[in-house]
Amino acid sequence: MASFLNAYRKLLELPLSILVKNNPIPHHPIEELALNVAQPVVYVLPYTSETDFVIFRKNCLSVGLPDPLEQNEINGRVLPRFVFLDEGRRFFKSKGAKKETITIFNNYLELHRTLPELDVQLIPVSVLWGRAPGREDKTGLPNLRLLNGLQKTIAAIWFGRDTFVRFSQAVSLRYMTREHGFDQKIAQKLARVAKIHFAKQRISATGPRLPNRQAMFNKLLQQPVILAAIEDEAKSKNISKEKAYKEAEKILDEIAANVSYEGLRMADRFLRWLWNKLYQGIDVENADRVRKLALEGHEIVYVPCHRSHIDYLLLSYVLYHQGLVPPHIAAGINLNFWPVGGMFRRGGAFFIRRTFKGNRLYSTIFREYLAELFHRGYSVEYFIEGGRSRTGRLLAPKTGMMSMTLQALQQQQTRPISVVPVYVGYEHVLEVDTYAKELRGAAKEKENAGLVLRVIKKLRNLGKGYVNFGEPITLSNYLNQHFPEWKAPLEDRPQWFNKAVDAVSHQVMVNINKAAAVNAMNLTGTALLSSRQRALSREQLLEQLASYQQFLQNVPYSDDVVIPTEKPEIMLDHVLSLDRVGILVEKDNFGEIVRLERSSAVLMTYYRNNIQHLFVLPSLVASIVLHYEAIQKTLVLDSVLKIYPFLRSELFLHFNEEAQIAERVEQIIQEFQRQNIIKHSENMLTINKPNIRMLQLWSAGVREILQRYYITVNLLQNNPLISRANLEKESQSVAQRLSVLHGINAPEFFDKAVFSAFTNSLKEQGYFNESGTANTEKLQELATILTHLISTEICLTINGAVAKVEEKEQDEN
C-alpha cells in the first residue's frame, strides 16, 4: 500500500508542479510562527487527500520545514510525521477523527510520559483551493473542502495560482500533557480542537458570503433611522417622499461596494505585475497577529497611514497573500472615475464624500451602511488621516469614521471589533513629485484616467515597499479600561463618547508610529538633511548611517519597529541605484562627496519625516549637550521634560509617564556615550570633540521644530493677549520669512496646522490662564531653554520678524 501511495504521489508531482504555484502562508513559517523544529513535528491535515498532500509537501520543503514523508524516530520508536484528521468522505461530517490518527496521537502522548525533555509540535496545515466565499443567494461553499478527482483537476487549472497552504501556530504536546495529563481522551480532545480550528481557518481565509447588493439596499432602506431621514429630506426640500426615496437609493448606489471574487483575482494578477515593475519587493511584518484576530472571530478594522494612492491596493494585495480576506475600503469619492471607479468598487471600495456637513440623509445612509458591513462580518479599512500626507508625517486624525465605528460597537455588535493600525512605507513614493509641486503652491490635480496612464508610463525602480501591522486595539477592552461607562445606552450617550473617539484615534496614530519601517532611503535622507550644506563626505555619511542603525538596535523605539540589517555601505549603494532620488556623488582630491541636489531637498524631507519621530528625542538630547557644551544630567532631563509634551503631541510619541521619559533619556545618554559622541562623568555631560560632527548631525533632527516653537513663544511673550487665529497666522508668516532667509526646505516648517497643534499643546500644558491670556512667567522658562538650543543668527532673525509684527499691529491700532 505504501509503495502504491508513493508511486501515486510521484505521478501527481509533475502536473501539480506546473499548475499549482507555491503559496505558503505565512511566507516564512519557521520565523513568523516561532516553530521549534529542533523538536519533532507532526503535521495535522484536515482530511485524506493525496493531491493536497503533494502540494503541502512541496510548500513544506520550499520554506525549510521537515519533510512530512520522513518519519520521527524517538527513543527507538518510529512514528509518522503527518496525520489526516478525517477520512474525507464528507467535509468535517464524520463522528470522530480517524482511528489511525487517534492511535498516533496516543503513541506520541505515551512517549511524553517517559521522556520529560520531549515536546512534539503539532502543526495544523490546510490547503485552500481558491477562496471564493460564495454569495448570499447561492449555495456555493468556499473551496476548503474535499473535492473529487474531476473537481481537483478543474481547481488546479483554474485556481492553481490561488491555491494557498496555510500553516498555523504549533500546539505543544508537552503543554497539553502538563495541563490535561496523559488520559487517552486527550487525543480525542486534540482532534476536536483541530476540527474547530480548521473551520475557523476557512472563514478567516474566505470571509462571509458576499452580499446580494440589491437585497442589502432594500434592507437598509427599510431601517427606521433611514426612513426618518428620507421623510426629513422630503420636508426640508419640499419634495415628495418618493423623490426623496429615489435620492436615498441613488446615494446608496454611489456609496456601496460591489465585491466580485473574480474581480479580486484579476486585480491580484495586475497588482503582481505592478509591484514587480515598481518595487524590488514588499516587506510584510506582524501579519500573524492579524491572522490570530481573524481566527478568534474578531471584526477587523484596518487603519493604515496614507502615503500614496496605491496604499489601499498594496494593503489588499498583502492581506490576500497573507491568507486573509481583503477588506471593504472607504475611498474618497474623487477616485470614482472611469474606468478605475468600477474596478475599485469590485475590489471592495465603497466611496465617501469629503464632507457630510448639512446632509443628514447622506450621513445617515453612510453610517447605517458601515454598521451593516460590521454586522455582516466584513473587515473594513479606512484612512484616519482623511487624505494623503504631503509632508511624510502623520496628519492629525479625522475622527468621523472612528466615531461611526464606536457607534457600531454599541449597536449590539456581537463580534469584538479590533482596530489594526498599519504602517505603510516606501523607499520612493509614486506621487512624491506631485507632492513637491503642491507644496510649492501648485493646485492639486484632479484624479482622472489620464493621470493614471501618466503614472503607469513612469514606472521605474522605486526600491522596496513596507507593510507593518501595528499593535491591535480591541475596542471593548480599551473602553473598559479607559471609559468604563461606555456600555450605557446609545441614546444616553454622555460626554465620554467624543473623548473616547479622540483617545482611540490618537492611540491608533501612536501605534502606527510604533510600527515604523526604517529603510535605507529615509536614513540617508535624514543624514544628508542634517548637514546645512546637504552634503557629507562618503566616510561621514557611512559613519552617521552606522550611528543611526546602532542606536535603533540598542535603544529600540518599540518592539514593532523594523530596522534594516544591511551594512551602511550596502544601504548607500542601494539608494544611489534608485531612479530620480537627486543624490549626487562627486570626487575631489580628498575622496568622494555625497550631495543632495537643492531641488530634491523638499522630496527628501518627505522620507526623513516618515521616521522623524524615532530620532526626535535623541536629537533633543544631542542638541542640549551641543549647545550647552557641558551640562548636568539632571538639567538635561529638566529641559527634555519641558519640551517633550509638545513633541509627543506633534509626532504621536508613545512615552507618556515622566518615569518612562527619564528612563529613555538615560538610555540615550548611555548609547551616545558608548558611541563616543558625548562624555559622561560625575553627573556632567560634555562634548567629545573628536566626534563633534556626529553630535551636530544628531542634533539637527530637532532643529527646525525648536525654531517653530520659538517663533510662537516669542510672539506670545510680545503680545500675551494676541488671539489664537492671529497667533497662528503670524507664526506662519514669520516661519515663511525664516525659511527663505535661512534656506529651510522642510515643507511642514510653515504649515499652519503644525502651529495650530502647538497652540493646542500650550493650552493643554497650562501656558494660558482661564481668560485665554498667555502665562508670561511660564513662557519665559520655555523661552530660556529654546534660546539656548537655537543659533544666535536664527534667534536674531526671529526676534526681528516678531518686532516687525508688533510694529505693524501698533500702526493698525
Side-chain angles (χ1 to χ4, degrees):
M1 182 65 179
S3 59
F4 171 77
L5 278 177
N6 288 335
Y8 181 54
R9 289 166 182 159
K10 283 286 183 186
L11 186 65
L12 290 172
E13 280 179 6
L14 179 60
L16 289 175
S17 66
I18 296 170
L19 294 172
V20 180
K21 183 177 179 290
N22 277 3
N23 273 320
I25 299 172
H27 301 313
H28 307 287
I30 296 176
E31 296 83 4
E32 294 182 52
L33 300 178
L35 300 178
N36 182 10
V37 292
Q39 290 285 353
V41 301
V42 177
Y43 303 104
V44 183
L45 290 92
Y47 46 77
T48 306
S49 168
E50 297 306 327
T51 306
D52 284 7
F53 181 84
V54 169
I55 294 168
F56 144 68
R57 179 173 179 258
K58 185 183 171 204
N59 278 263
C60 261
L61 298 178
S62 73
V63 296
L65 282 166
D67 187 344
L69 274 182
E70 295 179 3
Q71 295 186 308
N72 289 322
E73 186 173 343
I74 306 169
N75 201 31
R77 295 188 66 177
V78 177
L79 292 170
R81 195 174 270 168
F82 71 93
V83 294
F84 293 119
L85 195 62
D86 222 326
E87 294 289 357
R89 288 186 296 270
R90 298 175 67 196
F91 184 56
F92 298 154
K93 294 296 183 181
S94 66
K95 293 181 179 177
K98 290 174 65 173
K99 289 181 181 179
E100 177 190 356
T101 298
I102 296 296
T103 301
I104 293 170
F105 281 166
N106 280 325
N107 287 337
Y108 276 111
L109 288 167
E110 184 61 30
L111 284 168
H112 282 75
R113 187 197 300 273
T114 56
L115 300 172
E117 74 284 358
L118 181 64
D119 186 11
V120 173
Q121 309 288 299
L122 297 184
I123 305 176
V125 187
S126 52
V127 178
L128 290 74
W129 291 86
R131 289 156 60 190
R135 288 197 172 269
E136 288 178 339
D137 52 352
K138 295 182 180 178
T139 58
L141 287 171
N143 286 324
L144 176 58
R145 67 186 194 279
L146 182 61
L147 306 177
N148 61 36
L150 177 61
Q151 289 172 322
K152 278 281 172 72
T153 302
I154 294 170
I157 295 170
W158 189 246
F159 295 113
R161 296 182 66 87
D162 297 294
T163 298
F164 296 81
V165 177
R166 176 72 179 270
F167 297 92
S168 295
Q169 290 282 354
V171 176
S172 161
L173 277 188
R174 174 59 58 192
Y175 171 81
M176 293 295 293
T177 57
R178 192 166 55 243
E179 293 294 311
H180 305 286
F182 294 93
D183 192 291
Q184 290 201 355
K185 291 183 179 177
I186 298 303
Q188 294 173 340
K189 181 180 177 67
L190 279 169
R192 286 197 302 273
V193 169
K195 286 189 177 189
I196 294 169
H197 170 85
F198 286 127
K200 288 181 177 179
Q201 195 177 77
R202 181 189 67 189
I203 295 299
S204 73
T206 64
R209 292 175 182 274
L210 297 176
N212 177 313
R213 200 164 181 260
Q214 190 56 51
M216 181 193 276
F217 286 7
N218 293 340
K219 178 186 174 184
L220 285 170
L221 290 169
Q222 295 307 309
Q223 296 284 354
V225 287
I226 291 182
L227 288 173
I230 290 172
E231 190 169 339
D232 184 65
E233 178 84 355
K235 288 179 181 177
S236 63
K237 293 188 175 178
N238 196 24
I239 58 176
S240 67
K241 284 186 182 180
E242 290 74 17
K243 191 170 182 180
Y245 189 90
K246 289 287 185 187
E247 178 63 20
E249 285 183 315
K250 185 179 175 184
I251 290 171
L252 253 180
D253 188 56
E254 174 193 302
I255 293 171
N258 188 20
V259 181
S260 158
Y261 177 66
E262 287 306 315
L264 288 172
R265 291 186 66 218
M266 293 300 294
D268 176 59
R269 302 290 186 275
F270 169 73
L271 292 175
R272 193 191 302 266
W273 168 82
L274 184 66
W275 305 141
N276 287 335
K277 283 283 186 182
L278 291 176
Y279 296 105
Q280 297 173 10
I282 307 295
D283 281 1
V284 181
E285 299 288 340
N286 295 314
D288 197 58
R289 61 183 15 158
V290 188
R291 284 194 289 268
K292 184 180 177 185
L293 289 174
L295 280 174
E296 292 172 352
H298 285 235
E299 173 64 40
I300 300 176
V301 179
Y302 299 97
V303 185
C305 59
H306 204 3
R307 312 281 196 220
S308 167
H309 271 322
I310 64 173
D311 292 343
Y312 30 81
L313 300 177
L314 178 61
L315 185 53
S316 291
Y317 175 84
V318 164
L319 289 170
Y320 184 79
H321 284 272
Q322 291 294 327
L324 293 157
V325 184
H328 281 62
I329 309 159
I333 193 68
N334 56 311
L335 294 178
N336 189 21
F337 62 88
W338 186 89
V340 299
M343 294 164 57
F344 286 160
R345 206 182 287 275
R346 287 189 292 277
F350 58 98
F351 293 99
I352 179 173
R353 295 178 186 175
R354 287 298 180 190
T355 179
F356 297 1
K357 193 173 182 181
N359 194 335
R360 182 192 167 197
L361 182 61
Y362 183 87
S363 61
T364 303
I365 289 172
F366 188 90
R367 185 176 63 247
E368 292 302 309
Y369 175 74
L370 184 64
E372 184 68 13
L373 293 181
F374 287 137
H375 177 71
R376 291 169 182 250
Y378 302 118
S379 56
V380 171
E381 172 191 338
Y382 52 76
F383 296 96
I384 199 167
E385 296 169 276
R388 292 165 292 157
S389 171
R390 265 65 173 177
T391 65
R393 286 174 160 208
L394 290 185
L395 305 177
K398 292 181 170 56
T399 57
M401 292 293 290
M402 186 61 71
S403 176
M404 293 183 203
T405 303
L406 262 65
Q407 287 175 2
L409 178 68
Q410 282 210 317
Q411 291 175 349
Q412 299 178 342
Q413 173 71 20
T414 55
R415 305 169 72 212
I417 298 178
S418 284
V419 176
V420 178
V422 187
Y423 180 93
V424 181
Y426 308 90
E427 287 188 317
H428 213 326
V429 173
L430 205 61
E431 305 100 317
V432 77
D433 294 340
T434 306
Y435 293 168
K437 292 175 185 175
E438 291 176 15
L439 289 165
R440 294 187 191 108
K444 179 179 178 293
E445 187 173 356
K446 186 177 179 182
E447 285 79 5
N448 54 58
L451 179 61
V452 174
L453 290 173
R454 287 201 303 276
V455 168
I456 291 177
K457 278 179 68 177
K458 292 196 295 183
L459 296 181
R460 56 190 186 270
N461 174 18
L462 300 181
K464 296 180 76 172
Y466 301 85
V467 176
N468 191 4
F469 295 94
E471 182 182 351
I473 303 166
T474 300
L475 290 181
S476 55
N477 294 346
Y478 184 90
L479 295 176
N480 285 339
Q481 182 179 354
H482 299 281
F483 300 93
E485 65 273 35
W486 75 276
K487 291 186 179 179
L490 189 63
E491 58 269 23
D492 298 328
R493 186 173 70 198
Q495 294 180 351
W496 69 264
F497 184 83
N498 289 337
K499 292 179 181 177
V501 170
D502 291 340
V504 174
S505 300
H506 181 82
Q507 191 61 48
V508 166
M509 310 308 281
V510 168
N511 288 9
I512 289 174
N513 267 347
K514 284 172 69 178
V518 184
N519 60 58
M521 175 69 94
N522 46 40
L523 283 181
T524 303
T526 298
L528 289 174
L529 289 168
S530 296
S531 167
R532 290 188 185 277
Q533 295 76 30
R534 300 180 301 280
L536 293 168
S537 70
R538 188 181 185 94
E539 293 78 13
Q540 283 178 328
L541 178 52
L542 292 175
E543 185 179 44
Q544 194 63 22
L545 290 177
S547 180
Y548 291 152
Q549 195 173 27
Q550 289 172 35
F551 182 89
L552 292 169
Q553 290 166 347
N554 297 332
V555 192
Y557 180 80
S558 76
D559 292 338
D560 289 340
V561 168
V562 178
I563 304 167
T565 56
E566 298 85 2
K567 290 182 179 179
E569 293 84 355
I570 295 173
M571 286 196 284
L572 179 57
D573 289 344
H574 170 69
V575 169
L576 294 175
S577 73
L578 300 179
D579 291 344
R580 299 174 66 181
V581 296
I583 298 177
L584 305 176
V585 179
E586 301 171 348
K587 291 185 178 181
D588 61 13
N589 293 335
F590 305 100
E592 290 185 344
I593 295 174
V594 183
R595 180 171 64 84
L596 180 63
E597 289 182 302
R598 183 176 180 84
S599 59
S600 299
V602 173
L603 305 184
M604 195 57 76
T605 59
Y606 185 95
Y607 301 113
R608 178 202 66 185
N609 288 350
N610 289 175
I611 60 167
Q612 188 177 29
H613 63 285
L614 302 180
F615 292 136
V616 71
L617 197 49
S619 294
L620 178 58
V621 172
S623 184
I624 293 169
V625 176
L626 178 68
H627 288 90
Y628 280 86
E629 296 189 8
I631 184 172
Q632 290 184 357
K633 187 164 70 172
T634 52
L635 293 178
V636 172
L637 179 59
D638 287 345
S639 298
V640 169
L641 290 173
K642 285 281 195 310
I643 295 173
Y644 180 78
F646 308 114
L647 299 176
R648 180 182 62 204
S649 177
E650 181 174 335
L651 296 173
F652 302 102
L653 306 180
H654 74 93
F655 306 105
N656 292 317
E657 304 298 328
E658 189 171 312
Q660 286 181 309
I661 302 164
E663 181 183 3
R664 183 73 178 175
V665 169
E666 180 62 34
Q667 291 171 345
I668 291 167
I669 290 170
Q670 289 178 9
E671 178 60 18
F672 280 167
Q673 184 184 9
R674 191 195 67 78
Q675 292 191 27
N676 293 317
I677 296 173
I678 63 173
K679 293 180 178 178
H680 179 202
S681 61
E682 298 181 0
N683 201 38
M684 290 293 294
L685 303 180
T686 56
I687 297 171
N688 184 21
K689 291 190 177 177
N691 285 333
I692 191 171
R693 184 56 175 151
M694 288 181 70
L695 188 65
Q696 290 172 335
L697 294 174
W698 266 106
S699 71
V702 75
R703 181 172 59 207
E704 291 151 3
I705 295 175
L706 298 180
Q707 290 168 3
R708 279 194 284 102
Y709 291 173
Y710 185 65
I711 290 170
T712 302
V713 168
N714 206 316
L715 283 164
L716 274 172
Q717 284 185 300
N718 275 270
N719 184 2
L721 297 174
I722 189 172
S723 69
R724 176 166 172 171
N726 276 342
L727 176 63
E728 292 169 6
K729 177 186 172 185
E730 298 301 348
S731 294
Q732 186 180 25
S733 298
V734 174
Q736 286 173 325
R737 183 180 182 87
L738 191 65
S739 70
V740 173
L741 292 175
H742 294 276
I744 297 170
N745 300 297
E748 75 282 356
F749 186 72
F750 47 83
D751 183 358
K752 188 177 179 181
V754 296
F755 288 108
S756 179
F758 180 54
T759 307
N760 280 337
S761 296
L762 286 170
K763 185 176 180 181
E764 290 170 3
Q765 297 302 317
Y767 284 83
F768 294 94
N769 58 31
E770 292 182 1
S771 64
T773 305
N775 184 333
T776 52
E777 185 177 336
K778 195 169 182 180
L779 279 171
Q780 183 57 47
E781 294 176 9
L782 182 58
T784 301
I785 295 170
L786 292 172
T787 303
H788 276 97
L789 304 183
I790 298 172
S791 70
T792 303
E793 184 184 9
I794 295 288
C795 281
L796 289 172
T797 302
I798 293 172
N799 293 338
V802 169
K804 288 183 180 295
V805 169
E806 192 173 2
E807 289 172 11
K808 185 180 70 172
E809 289 181 351
Q810 288 174 352
D811 291 343
E812 289 175 355
N813 292 332

